[in-house]
Amino acid sequence: MKTLAALFGRRARLRWLHLIIGGALLMPYFLVGTVLVGMTDGGEPIFSSLSAQFVAFGLALPMAAVTGFFALVRPLSVAAARALCGVPPDLLADGPARTRQARVRTAGWYTLHLALGGIISGATLALPPFAVAVAALPFSAVLPGPWLPDGPRVLREPWVLALAPFAGLAMLLALAAAVAVAGKTLARRAPVLLGPTPEDRLAAAERRAADLAVRNRLARELHDSVGHALSAVTLQAGAARRVLDRDPEFVREALTAIEETTRRTVGELDSVLGLLRQDGEPEDEGTAYGPGLDALDGLLAHCGVPVAYEREGDPGDPGVVDPAVSREAYRIVQEGLSNVLRHGGGGPSPVRLLIAVRERELEIVMENPLGGRPAVARPGGGRGLRGIAERAVLLGGRTEAGPYDGIWRLTARLPLTVPGTNG
């Protein structure tokens, strides 16, 4: 059963079709070869000469090899090999052949496919009728056909007539075996000739790394935005609950702050989730990375702690501070405020924030009293001091954090511009 499946199963039939397609692709080159042979033989018809047909076949293969050097031949060959040869998709390369090595391999595959396809196609057209005629010998009084016009006496011998049906069946089985061998040969050579080159693997790794970096940045944005919002909302709700019966005006302000914080965070959440559903790098980086320093006033107004904000220069001006730097600076301030809310002690801690535009860098200084345990770096990135440090390093900046004269000080220094950004 395994042998019959190997010769006539679905995979064998698909590979047979793949070989027939190769034979069809060979025909234009073969016809050009017949013209060249006919010119050298004085115009004699070559289809009556088997040797002339083999010469035309030999001339067709180099022409097919030249065609294989075109870049778009590889994706077409890969698509056919994946669909018909039964080759695992991950073993074959994607995209046009760009490098010399890839084109040489593709040309080798294309030539092999057309050569085996031409042979199998010719055999498929010629051998079955011949095999049927041989198998029908016992039922024919006179052997038909022009290939034995005289009807040799040996073909009328009883032992020949008895073996003729088996001989015809053997021819068909031999053809099926030849097809299976040719198809298996192509399937085995496909990963070698159509598989990714080292350059293809490097390009694919770079694409995966770039996509992962984008998604990691978006995930960090999501964590920072939602984490800060939850910390602020929790603090505001707790404070409002404690003074619910004594200070309705404070409760009203706390609820307003909660509403503004959640509305802003939901907008950022929708934006980031929309980008995570897309493939590749988002075109609008402003949308991808969130608000910048020009939106800092809204964050400070509803962050849940009193902030004394000082600034030197105009950090919100995109002509002074690169928009990419502005967005990361906003997230650094937001994460710093979240750390104050999480680790600032039993209640809101007063915070001093200074953002200064220096000659070559943007300086961010955030100070708050040491009310509890300081903000710590936690595993996973994008959290606490680790997330702040990662953001600064990615821009070519640096951070410092630690206790200083009874306060907790966070300092971040970022370059004003980042080479290669488009804002």
Side-chain angles (χ1 to χ4, degrees):
M1 294 299 294
K2 290 184 178 180
T3 302
L4 291 177
L7 295 180
F8 302 104
R10 182 176 183 275
R11 175 172 293 182
R13 296 195 302 271
L14 289 176
R15 289 178 177 177
W16 201 332
L17 176 60
H18 186 242
L19 290 165
I20 296 298
I21 293 174
L25 293 174
L26 180 69
M27 283 304 299
Y29 308 102
F30 180 75
L31 292 176
V32 173
T34 60
V35 172
L36 296 177
V37 172
M39 293 172 60
T40 58
D41 287 350
E44 292 291 333
I46 70 165
F47 290 102
S48 60
S49 172
L50 187 61
S51 60
Q53 293 181 38
F54 276 113
V55 173
F57 178 79
L59 292 175
L61 296 182
M63 291 185 284
V66 172
T67 305
F69 280 93
F70 289 96
L72 292 179
V73 171
R74 187 172 74 171
L76 297 176
S77 299
V78 166
R82 282 175 173 165
L84 302 176
C85 280
V87 181
D90 57 335
L91 297 182
L92 302 180
D94 291 313
R98 300 298 185 187
T99 64
R100 179 180 179 182
Q101 181 183 13
R103 294 186 178 186
V104 170
R105 290 182 179 183
T106 304
W109 165 266
Y110 191 68
T111 305
L112 179 63
H113 180 203
L114 268 61
L116 292 178
I119 294 172
I120 295 300
S121 297
T124 300
L125 290 174
L127 192 56
F130 180 78
V132 170
V134 171
L137 279 178
F139 311 100
S140 302
V142 178
L143 185 65
W147 39 281
L148 282 175
D150 297 331
R153 184 180 299 273
V154 68
L155 295 180
R156 300 172 185 170
E157 295 291 337
W159 64 271
V160 172
L161 296 177
L163 293 177
F166 300 100
L169 180 61
M171 294 178 190
L172 295 178
L173 291 176
L175 175 60
V179 171
V181 171
K184 192 172 185 179
T185 299
L186 286 178
R188 287 182 174 179
R189 302 311 299 172
V192 178
L193 299 177
L194 295 179
T197 63
E199 292 81 3
D200 293 326
R201 293 189 179 94
L202 179 59
E206 290 176 347
R207 288 193 299 270
R208 287 193 297 270
D211 182 69
L212 183 61
V214 170
R215 294 183 179 275
N216 283 341
R217 287 198 296 270
L218 293 175
R220 186 165 56 233
E221 299 297 330
L222 185 60
H223 167 270
D224 291 350
S225 177
V226 174
H228 169 78
L230 290 177
S231 297
V233 166
T234 301
L235 181 65
Q236 294 281 5
R241 179 181 56 82
R242 287 192 293 270
V243 299
L244 180 62
D245 298 328
R246 302 192 308 270
D247 193 347
E249 184 62 27
F250 178 82
V251 174
R252 186 178 295 107
E253 292 178 358
L255 292 176
T256 301
I258 291 174
E259 180 183 2
E260 293 294 332
T261 301
T262 53
R263 181 183 295 114
R264 182 179 66 251
T265 304
V266 167
E268 294 184 16
L269 179 63
D270 288 342
S271 175
V272 173
L273 290 179
L275 289 166
L276 285 173
R277 295 187 190 102
Q278 297 176 3
D279 294 328
E281 185 80 25
E283 296 180 1
D284 185 356
E285 292 187 359
T287 302
Y289 301 122
L293 291 176
D294 56 341
L296 193 59
D297 292 338
L299 173 66
L300 300 180
H302 304 288
C303 65
V305 294
V307 180
Y309 175 37
E310 303 175 21
R311 64 182 181 182
E312 298 179 9
D314 189 1
D317 185 357
V320 177
V321 181
D322 192 296
V325 177
S326 179
R327 289 188 290 268
E328 295 300 319
Y330 178 94
R331 293 304 187 189
I332 288 174
V333 172
Q334 186 182 56
E335 182 63 22
L337 292 173
S338 297
N339 288 335
V340 173
L341 292 171
R342 286 194 294 264
H343 311 300
S349 302
V351 177
R352 174 182 174 268
L353 174 64
L354 169 66
I355 300 181
V357 179
R358 307 300 185 192
E359 182 179 355
R360 294 184 178 179
E361 64 182 14
L362 178 72
E363 183 182 29
I364 302 172
V365 180
M366 184 177 295
E367 298 176 345
N368 64 281
L370 287 171
R373 60 188 178 89
V376 294
R378 290 183 281 177
R383 300 180 179 183
L385 300 181
R386 177 179 296 177
I388 293 174
E390 285 179 355
R391 290 182 181 277
V393 169
L394 287 174
L395 294 175
R398 61 194 186 279
T399 61
E400 299 175 2
Y404 180 79
D405 289 343
I407 63 173
W408 181 267
R409 174 179 290 176
L410 168 66
T411 303
R413 293 180 173 86
L414 310 176
L416 293 178
T417 60
V418 180
T421 61
N422 55 15

Coordinates of all heavy atoms in Angstrom, one line a residue, residues 15 18-19 81 85 87 109 112-114 116-117 180-191 193-194:
R15 N 3.0 16.3 -7.5 CA 4.4 16.4 -8.0 C 4.4 16.1 -9.5 O 5.2 16.7 -10.3 CB 5.3 15.4 -7.3 CG 5.6 15.9 -5.8 CD 6.5 14.9 -5.1 NE 6.8 15.4 -3.7 CZ 7.5 14.7 -2.8 NH1 8.0 13.5 -3.1 NH2 7.7 15.2 -1.6
H18 N 3.4 19.2 -11.1 CA 4.5 20.2 -11.0 C 5.5 19.9 -12.2 O 6.0 20.9 -12.8 CB 5.2 20.1 -9.7 CG 6.2 21.1 -9.4 ND1 7.6 20.8 -9.2 CD2 6.2 22.5 -9.4 CE1 8.3 21.9 -9.1 NE2 7.4 22.9 -9.2
L19 N 5.8 18.7 -12.4 CA 6.7 18.3 -13.5 C 6.1 18.7 -14.9 O 6.8 19.1 -15.8 CB 7.0 16.8 -13.4 CG 7.9 16.4 -12.2 CD1 7.9 14.9 -12.0 CD2 9.4 16.9 -12.5
A81 N 6.5 25.3 -5.7 CA 7.1 24.2 -4.9 C 6.4 24.0 -3.6 O 6.2 22.9 -3.1 CB 8.6 24.5 -4.6
C85 N 5.0 20.5 -4.4 CA 6.1 19.5 -4.1 C 6.0 19.0 -2.7 O 6.7 18.1 -2.3 CB 7.4 20.2 -4.3 SG 7.9 20.3 -6.0
V87 N 6.9 20.7 0.1 CA 8.0 21.2 0.8 C 7.5 22.0 2.0 O 6.7 22.9 1.7 CB 9.0 21.9 -0.1 CG1 10.2 22.4 0.7 CG2 9.4 21.1 -1.2
W109 N 17.8 25.8 -9.8 CA 16.5 25.1 -9.6 C 15.6 25.2 -10.8 O 15.0 24.2 -11.2 CB 15.7 25.8 -8.4 CG 14.3 25.5 -8.4 CD1 13.2 26.2 -8.9 CD2 13.7 24.3 -7.8 NE1 12.0 25.6 -8.7 CE2 12.3 24.4 -8.1 CE3 14.2 23.2 -7.1 CZ2 11.4 23.4 -7.6 CZ3 13.3 22.2 -6.7 CH2 11.9 22.4 -6.9
L112 N 16.8 22.8 -13.4 CA 16.5 21.4 -13.0 C 15.0 21.1 -13.2 O 14.6 20.0 -13.7 CB 16.9 21.2 -11.6 CG 16.7 19.8 -11.0 CD1 17.4 18.7 -11.7 CD2 17.0 19.7 -9.5
H113 N 14.2 22.0 -12.8 CA 12.7 21.8 -12.9 C 12.3 21.6 -14.3 O 11.5 20.7 -14.7 CB 12.0 23.0 -12.3 CG 10.5 22.9 -12.3 ND1 9.7 24.0 -12.3 CD2 9.7 21.9 -12.4 CE1 8.4 23.7 -12.3 NE2 8.4 22.4 -12.4
L114 N 12.8 22.5 -15.2 CA 12.4 22.4 -16.6 C 13.0 21.2 -17.3 O 12.3 20.6 -18.2 CB 12.8 23.7 -17.3 CG 11.7 24.8 -17.4 CD1 11.4 25.2 -16.0 CD2 12.2 26.0 -18.2
L116 N 13.8 18.1 -15.8 CA 13.1 17.0 -15.4 C 11.6 17.0 -15.9 O 11.1 16.0 -16.4 CB 13.1 16.8 -13.9 CG 14.4 16.5 -13.3 CD1 14.3 16.5 -11.8 CD2 15.0 15.2 -13.8
G117 N 11.1 18.2 -15.9 CA 9.7 18.4 -16.4 C 9.6 18.1 -17.9 O 8.6 17.5 -18.3
A180 N 7.8 9.6 -9.7 CA 8.0 9.7 -8.2 C 9.5 10.0 -7.9 O 9.7 10.9 -7.0 CB 7.7 8.3 -7.6
V181 N 10.4 9.4 -8.6 CA 11.8 9.7 -8.4 C 12.2 11.2 -8.8 O 12.8 11.9 -8.0 CB 12.7 8.8 -9.2 CG1 14.2 9.2 -9.1 CG2 12.6 7.4 -8.6
A182 N 11.7 11.6 -9.9 CA 11.9 13.0 -10.3 C 11.3 14.0 -9.3 O 11.9 15.0 -9.0 CB 11.4 13.2 -11.7
G183 N 10.0 13.7 -8.9 CA 9.3 14.6 -8.0 C 10.1 14.7 -6.6 O 10.2 15.7 -6.0
K184 N 10.5 13.5 -6.2 CA 11.3 13.5 -4.9 C 12.6 14.2 -5.0 O 13.0 14.9 -4.0 CB 11.5 12.0 -4.5 CG 11.9 11.9 -3.0 CD 11.9 10.4 -2.6 CE 12.3 10.3 -1.1 NZ 12.3 8.8 -0.7
T185 N 13.2 14.1 -6.2 CA 14.5 14.8 -6.4 C 14.3 16.3 -6.3 O 15.0 17.0 -5.6 CB 15.1 14.4 -7.7 OG1 15.3 13.0 -7.8 CG2 16.3 15.2 -8.0
L186 N 13.2 16.8 -6.9 CA 12.9 18.2 -6.8 C 12.6 18.6 -5.4 O 13.0 19.7 -4.9 CB 11.7 18.6 -7.8 CG 12.0 18.6 -9.3 CD1 10.8 18.9 -10.0 CD2 13.1 19.6 -9.6
A187 N 11.8 17.8 -4.7 CA 11.4 18.1 -3.3 C 12.6 18.2 -2.4 O 12.7 19.1 -1.5 CB 10.4 17.1 -2.8
R188 N 13.6 17.3 -2.6 CA 14.8 17.4 -1.8 C 15.8 18.5 -2.2 O 16.4 19.1 -1.3 CB 15.6 16.0 -2.0 CG 14.9 14.9 -1.3 CD 15.8 13.6 -1.5 NE 15.2 12.5 -0.7 CZ 15.7 11.3 -0.6 NH1 16.8 11.0 -1.4 NH2 15.2 10.3 0.1
R189 N 15.8 18.9 -3.4 CA 16.7 20.0 -3.8 C 16.0 21.4 -3.6 O 16.8 22.4 -3.6 CB 17.0 19.9 -5.3 CG 17.7 18.6 -5.7 CD 18.9 18.2 -4.8 NE 19.9 19.2 -4.8 CZ 21.0 19.2 -4.0 NH1 21.1 18.3 -3.1 NH2 21.9 20.2 -4.1
A190 N 14.7 21.4 -3.4 CA 14.1 22.7 -3.2 C 14.6 23.5 -2.0 O 14.9 24.7 -2.2 CB 12.6 22.5 -3.1
P191 N 14.8 22.9 -0.8 CA 15.3 23.7 0.3 C 16.8 24.2 0.0 O 17.1 25.3 0.5 CB 15.3 22.7 1.5 CG 14.2 21.7 1.1 CD 14.4 21.6 -0.4
L193 N 18.2 24.9 -3.1 CA 18.2 25.9 -4.2 C 17.3 27.0 -4.0 O 17.5 28.1 -4.5 CB 17.9 25.2 -5.5 CG 18.9 24.0 -5.9 CD1 18.5 23.4 -7.2 CD2 20.4 24.6 -6.0
L194 N 16.1 26.8 -3.3 CA 15.2 27.8 -3.1 C 15.1 28.3 -1.6 O 14.3 29.1 -1.3 CB 13.8 27.4 -3.6 CG 13.6 27.1 -5.0 CD1 12.2 26.7 -5.3 CD2 13.9 28.4 -5.9

